[in-house]
Amino acid sequence: MTDPAKYRRQIEILRHADATSVTEILTRYAIVIGAALLLWISTGQTLMLIWGFVYTVLNGVYIFVLRAPNLPKTRGAYCALFLASMIISTWYAAMTIYLTTLDSRAYEFIGICGLIGLGLYNLSRHTDLTFLALWDTLLLTLCVIGIVLAFVAKTETQSHQVAIVFAGFGINAYYMMTYLSMMRTRATLRSAQEAEVQSQKMRAVGQLTSGIAHDFNNILTVIRGNLDLASELPNLAERELMLDEARAGTDRAAHLVRQLLAFSRKSQMMRSDIALGPFLEDFAVSLRRLLPETVRIALSGTLPDLSLRADRQLLETALLNCAINARDAMHPEGGILRLSAVVDTAAHEVAILIEDTGPGVPPAMIDRITEPFFTTKQVGEGSGLGLSMVKGFAEQSGGRLELRNQPSRGLQVALILPLV
């Protein structure tokens, strides 16, 4: 996994752990604010109010940033969020230790409850946040040590001091064992996921054998047949015609290989800035030449004056695959193929939409038609790589592919790509 992808995943995990449950967030704020007010009333110390206010503000800003839709998924952003989480946890834990130093059983009880709450929260939120889990475990260890020292200082008998030390050791050992158990569980899950990936690869090889071999054999038959004919024909013009057909066959074979590479995210992309409006206008003109007269091309009248950065040839190939699928869906009656673009300025991306007036896709299949080698066509009519190649191109370009059936009739394919 590349660094940008790794940090994007880490931030998404952090967002899911800390900023998705509104109920949990509001409950935590209510407890902290309520505790700060009660402690201030009972002790008269302004520090209690300062603690509650600072924690609520810091955590509120942290969650607001985490929930921002345009939050950058970079290493710097992850490090800043990681540091903010460390500071917030440390600020919360500081009050836990401070309360145990006060000469009051009630405050000691509140401090211990705060420690337990912090421990349960930190252990429950980590799934793949290794560094934060390590920090939180260390923080809990320091809290336990601080509380043990505070209690030992207040206890006169040696037997009670030993009991307190062992109790602290037991609490800390529990958290450490829970953390190690979590790590082992993660390792087991990762091994199971890797085994499943390998199994999927083997199934894909089987599908490749049945789905691609037929296409390659057809292409090779065309090439071989034309070469054989070219060697027998005396007329130079006729020989050149056969050689042109053989060259076209090699181009089709190369295109099929390019589809496979795009699906596997291993094709070499030659990115450039593409003016979206003129590009779609030129593409619509090309479609009118390629598609039959029964299919009418409807281009949106207001195209955005923006640019995106992508491989122009692969983008054309991806949209052509979508258009061919739309043509096949409307065969033989024909219909309308709509081409448009919708800009999301907040997410800084554009969705290129291709819509047809065909029957749509059965709901049970709509999640499968982007799988490699999955096709609803007859054997030999399609390799099942068209939409999987489009999906691979979109993801390799930093975007995504979305499919949805339209309420009226037909399928909408949204190729979503980042803007320049």
Side-chain angles (χ1 to χ4, degrees), residues 270-389:
M270 304 298 291
R271 290 184 174 89
S272 61
D273 292 347
I274 302 172
L276 187 59
F279 170 81
L280 290 179
E281 291 172 354
D282 293 342
F283 180 71
V285 172
S286 300
L287 278 185
R288 290 189 179 97
R289 299 193 193 103
L290 295 173
L291 298 183
E293 294 182 355
T294 54
V295 177
R296 185 164 63 88
I297 310 297
L299 180 64
S300 172
T302 55
L303 294 173
D305 184 20
L306 295 168
S307 297
L308 55 88
R309 188 167 182 80
D311 185 310
R312 188 182 186 93
Q313 184 177 356
L314 286 180
L315 177 59
E316 289 177 349
T317 303
L319 293 178
L320 183 59
N321 270 293
C322 296
I324 289 172
N325 283 339
R327 177 205 65 187
D328 294 344
M330 295 184 288
H331 183 76
E333 294 87 0
I336 302 173
L337 189 151
R338 295 184 178 88
L339 185 64
S340 60
V342 177
V343 177
D344 186 345
T345 53
H348 199 64
E349 60 188 18
V350 60
I352 302 176
L353 306 178
I354 294 183
E355 302 168 335
D356 62 60
T357 55
V361 177
M365 291 186 181
I366 198 163
D367 292 331
R368 294 199 60 200
I369 57 176
T370 56
E371 293 179 6
F373 319 119
F374 179 84
T375 179
T376 57
K377 300 175 183 178
Q378 298 296 320
V379 176
E381 293 183 2
S383 63
L385 280 174
L387 286 177
S388 65
M389 185 278 293

Side-chain angles (χ1 to χ4, degrees), residues 11 41 69 124 135 189 264 309 314 316 371 393 418:
I11 290 175
I41 292 170
S124 65
W135 165 252
L189 288 174
S264 65
R309 188 167 182 80
L314 286 180
E316 289 177 349
E371 293 179 6
F393 163 74

